[in-house]
Amino acid sequence: MGVSAPTANAEPHAALSASELTHLVQMADAYLQRRADAITAGGSRSRFASAPVAMTAAAAEDLADDLIALQRNGRALEKVSGGYVRAEVTVTPGESTVSGDTATIVATEDARLYYPNPQEGVPAYEEYSLPHTLTFTRSVEGWKLAGDRARVDPSSLQPTTQITHPIGDPGPINEPGPAGEPAPDSQDEGPKEPPSSTELPATGMSSQTAKPTLSASYSYDKMVDYANRYWKDYNGGYRSYGNDCTNFISQAMRAGGWSTTAGSPSSRADNSKWFYASYTWSTSYTWAGAENWYWFAQRHSGRTQRIANIWDMFPSDVAQVDWADPSPDGNINHTMIVTARGGGDLYMTYHSSNTHNKKLSIIRAQTSGASWYAHRT
């Protein structure tokens, strides 16, 4: 674990000295490291009898409950894919404010969750980057951590260290609208193709190493390179969205050779169009809407082919998921790209929350009961 030096926009206010700011960031680092440790093989077997830092009674109680849930999920993931063996957390502070005896720090948690026995040529760890707003209170005993609000997209897949529901429980993984509620701005396109199977064949993944090619004009390496480069550090040439997963995938496809179609504000709701412009209102829904992207890619453009089983995906292929709530409602919630394949698993990268090289087996365990749609790009 580690603490990055305070950034320029974290200049302390008059009532919060530089040493106090450093101390609070160290407390945040220890707290977030403790959470990440709990999901690992060693951490999942510990009892965590005491809080890692000075905390208010309410915050310590919340942490104790979370650690128990994380331990349970860690044990479940060990059975699914080997889980994680260790965690490294670094906290980078951003803006800090103080009012009386209450201090608030906006900080980014960058974490690496290491896989057991990684094979040569496949990722050794999963990465995620997650902003937090941490609150501290000051008393005669000094500063105490009082609260932590992770800046997560409730409609997307959360980092493994965030509590959603027990691994393997088919309950909702997020907080979407009522089942059956239509996706914003979606057209009635009729029924989708059948979802892709999520069952790993008894013989395991295919030993095939070369990705099937759909078009000689596409560069699959450039799609993957784009995802690896911008999974956390966003490309300033594009705006970001609150739910940014499909915007990110569209950028990767464009980097790999997908050409945009002609379009205008009046045609942005047309799922046969796919274009990016200077403003949201002049950009097609298919660019950043998961449901709309599906229809453009699969039905209108012919740029992708349905993959019958998610385990047949290769790097640069795209997976989309319709979460269980308590059962899929027909509207796609999330889009991600394959960035590596090997060692009996696939590695997925996506925005919201920003995640790099997360094992498909782990995501599959977190999304029990969901419908998956795999696309050959």
Side-chain angles (χ1 to χ4, degrees):
M1 81 184 188
V3 179
S4 296
T7 54
N9 62 349
E11 188 68 21
H13 292 253
L16 190 63
S17 68
S19 61
E20 284 179 313
L21 177 60
T22 298
H23 175 59
L24 296 187
V25 172
Q26 289 173 339
M27 293 172 65
D29 183 271
Y31 159 76
L32 293 172
Q33 180 70 51
R34 191 66 169 272
R35 292 181 62 94
D37 285 341
I39 202 75
T40 65
S44 66
R45 299 188 181 95
S46 301
R47 292 302 301 170
F48 295 107
S50 61
V53 293
M55 306 179 75
T56 63
E61 183 176 353
D62 289 343
L63 176 61
D65 290 342
D66 282 358
L67 292 179
I68 291 172
L70 289 169
Q71 288 175 307
R72 180 178 59 239
N73 285 351
R75 288 193 295 270
L77 290 178
E78 287 180 52
K79 298 176 182 177
V80 169
S81 65
Y84 308 104
V85 293
R86 65 186 178 92
E88 292 179 357
V89 171
T90 298
V91 175
T92 302
E95 180 183 0
S96 66
T97 59
V98 62
S99 178
D101 290 324
T102 300
T104 301
I105 296 177
V106 176
T108 299
E109 172 195 11
D110 289 301
R112 289 181 174 180
L113 303 176
Y114 285 80
Y115 300 126
N117 306 314
Q119 296 184 9
E120 184 177 357
V122 299
Y125 49 80
E126 165 194 330
E127 298 178 272
Y128 67 83
S129 184
L130 183 63
H132 293 259
T133 300
L134 300 128
T135 305
F136 302 83
T137 58
R138 180 169 47 191
S139 67
V140 293
E141 299 172 335
W143 287 103
K144 293 184 177 181
L145 178 64
D148 167 32
R149 181 169 57 85
R151 193 181 304 167
V152 296
D153 175 3
S155 68
S156 190
L157 184 64
Q158 308 307 328
T160 318
T161 53
Q162 296 299 302
I163 304 301
T164 51
H165 66 91
I167 298 295
D169 177 2
I173 67 165
N174 49 33
E175 299 174 2
E181 181 180 357
D185 306 318
S186 63
Q187 294 178 304
D188 182 4
E189 294 276 5
K192 292 182 174 69
E193 292 291 320
S196 304
S197 171
T198 60
E199 296 301 318
L200 181 66
T203 55
M205 291 198 313
S206 167
S207 59
Q208 180 180 352
T209 57
K211 172 184 166 72
T213 300
L214 291 187
S215 172
S217 65
Y218 298 160
S219 172
Y220 302 123
D221 287 343
K222 288 183 178 179
M223 294 176 183
V224 173
D225 289 346
Y226 188 95
N228 286 332
R229 179 178 179 183
Y230 292 110
W231 74 269
K232 178 177 69 170
D233 300 319
Y234 285 27
N235 185 345
Y238 295 95
R239 64 180 164 275
S240 60
Y241 292 75
N243 186 329
D244 202 62
C245 62
T246 307
N247 176 40
F248 175 58
I249 296 305
S250 284
Q251 293 172 33
M253 296 300 102
R254 191 180 190 184
W258 279 28
S259 59
T260 57
T261 68
S264 65
S266 63
S267 65
R268 65 187 298 252
D270 184 345
N271 285 342
S272 69
K273 307 292 185 180
W274 182 74
F275 56 91
Y276 181 87
S278 300
Y279 304 98
T280 301
W281 53 264
S282 55
T283 296
S284 68
Y285 293 148
T286 57
W287 182 272
E291 177 76 7
N292 306 88
W293 191 95
Y294 169 92
W295 294 113
F296 173 78
Q298 192 70 31
R299 174 171 294 182
H300 294 291
S301 70
R303 297 184 187 185
T304 67
Q305 290 181 355
R306 175 180 177 270
I307 302 176
N309 189 298
I310 62 174
W311 298 101
D312 289 332
M313 293 190 294
F314 281 79
S316 82
D317 288 338
V318 171
Q320 296 189 288
V321 192
D322 176 3
W323 306 131
D325 181 41
S327 61
D329 64 5
N331 294 315
I332 293 173
N333 303 93
H334 188 54
T335 310
M336 49 194 148
I337 186 172
V338 182
T339 41
R341 174 186 171 100
D345 221 316
L346 297 168
Y347 299 81
M348 313 301 295
T349 296
Y350 51 90
H351 278 184
S352 304
S353 301
N354 300 337
T355 301
H356 187 220
N357 289 332
K358 184 169 185 172
K359 283 185 177 181
L360 178 61
S361 58
I362 292 176
I363 298 174
R364 176 70 185 88
Q366 287 184 288
T367 58
S368 176
S371 291
W372 285 68
Y373 299 90
H375 306 270
R376 180 82 68 219
T377 59

